[in-house]
Amino acid sequence: MLDTCVLLDISTRKTDLPIVFALEELVSTGNVRLVIPDLVVSEFNRNKDDVAEKTWRRLSLEFKQVRSVIEEFGGDDKENAIEVLKEVGSRLPLLSEANYATISRVEHLIEKSLKVEATDSAKLAAVARALDKRAPFHISKNSMADAVLIELFREFVTNNQSGGDTFAFVTHNRNDFSSKDHREPHQDFSEIFSSNHVQYFSTISSAINFLDEGILEDAQFEYDFAQTRSLQEILSAMDELVDKVWYTVIATWLII
């Protein structure tokens, strides 16, 4: 069972693309069945475009900041650097397209998943958690959706444990679900994860490695191979420009 934050993160973070590869492989081979509650699907659909847009805006802002620093501290090579920056900038839309392509792949994973509706019993159990101020209500925020999610996971495990499967709850929301050791669930969830066949993970990568230790390495290779040359050029040029900018800034400060 995946939390919404996991789906949003792997949809928009370039470094998580190998994770999408790995999940697709695990699902296609039948080694993993994703379980996605309807409330997670709804929240993902509400936020996916906004998260993708924020990623694009952040990238555009960082790009403008790099250009501003180059124009101020670029020195004799300023014009050449700006020309390179313009070339890289013309290809930035590729990154936005890549974001939406990844979102589409995550949506396909959701389509293949086992959907779970929020039950009245899970909602009542979540209310009981709120009244008792047990996690995820141990911090000052409205955590009802998170509480329903973990109660749905508990119900799913209880109703489906006869087949000998291993169940995993995966979230990146450590504040609501994890203990001080983020790798472990909060103590208020200890009864849910008391069995060896019920696992808690605060990163999707750790969950995948638990299932198949080598698959992420293979997925990374596939990702590197599938990268388009133009995208590699963009990222390489941006890294090179950032290094040059900060070298120039530091050198200027030393001279001053």
Side-chain angles (χ1 to χ4, degrees), residues 56-196:
W56 166 249
R57 288 200 300 267
R58 175 184 57 77
L59 185 61
S60 298
L61 177 60
E62 291 174 354
F63 199 76
K64 290 176 182 177
Q65 290 172 336
V66 169
R67 176 164 182 163
S68 176
V69 174
I70 288 176
E71 289 176 341
E72 187 170 354
F73 300 103
D76 296 337
D77 293 330
K78 178 170 66 176
E79 295 304 322
N80 289 336
I82 290 177
E83 284 303 312
V84 174
L85 198 61
K86 286 180 180 178
E87 173 64 20
V88 175
S90 68
R91 299 180 181 179
L92 279 180
L94 287 173
L95 295 179
S96 182
E97 291 174 13
N99 256 355
Y100 282 101
T102 307
I103 288 173
S104 178
R105 290 169 64 182
V106 172
E107 287 176 324
H108 191 54
L109 285 171
I110 293 173
E111 289 173 7
K112 289 184 172 182
S113 70
L114 178 61
K115 308 300 189 302
V116 178
E117 293 186 4
T119 62
D120 289 340
S121 55
K123 294 175 183 177
L124 287 173
V127 171
R129 282 188 173 274
L131 293 174
D132 295 339
K133 298 200 180 300
R134 290 181 293 148
F137 296 99
H138 59 297
I139 53 181
S140 300
K141 64 186 286 285
N142 183 355
S143 299
M144 184 57 69
D146 293 324
V148 172
L149 183 64
I150 195 67
E151 291 299 338
L152 283 174
F153 178 71
R154 182 213 294 269
E155 285 188 358
F156 187 84
V157 171
T158 300
N159 295 333
N160 295 276
Q161 58 186 346
S162 59
D165 293 325
T166 295
F167 302 86
F169 181 81
V170 188
T171 181
H172 291 171
N173 184 359
R174 297 172 178 176
N175 289 335
D176 282 347
F177 290 107
S178 292
S179 64
K180 289 182 179 180
D181 180 350
H182 290 162
R183 296 168 298 179
E184 300 295 331
H186 191 278
Q187 61 184 12
D188 289 347
F189 304 125
S190 58
E191 75 282 3
I192 299 176
F193 299 97
S194 59
S195 170
N196 288 333

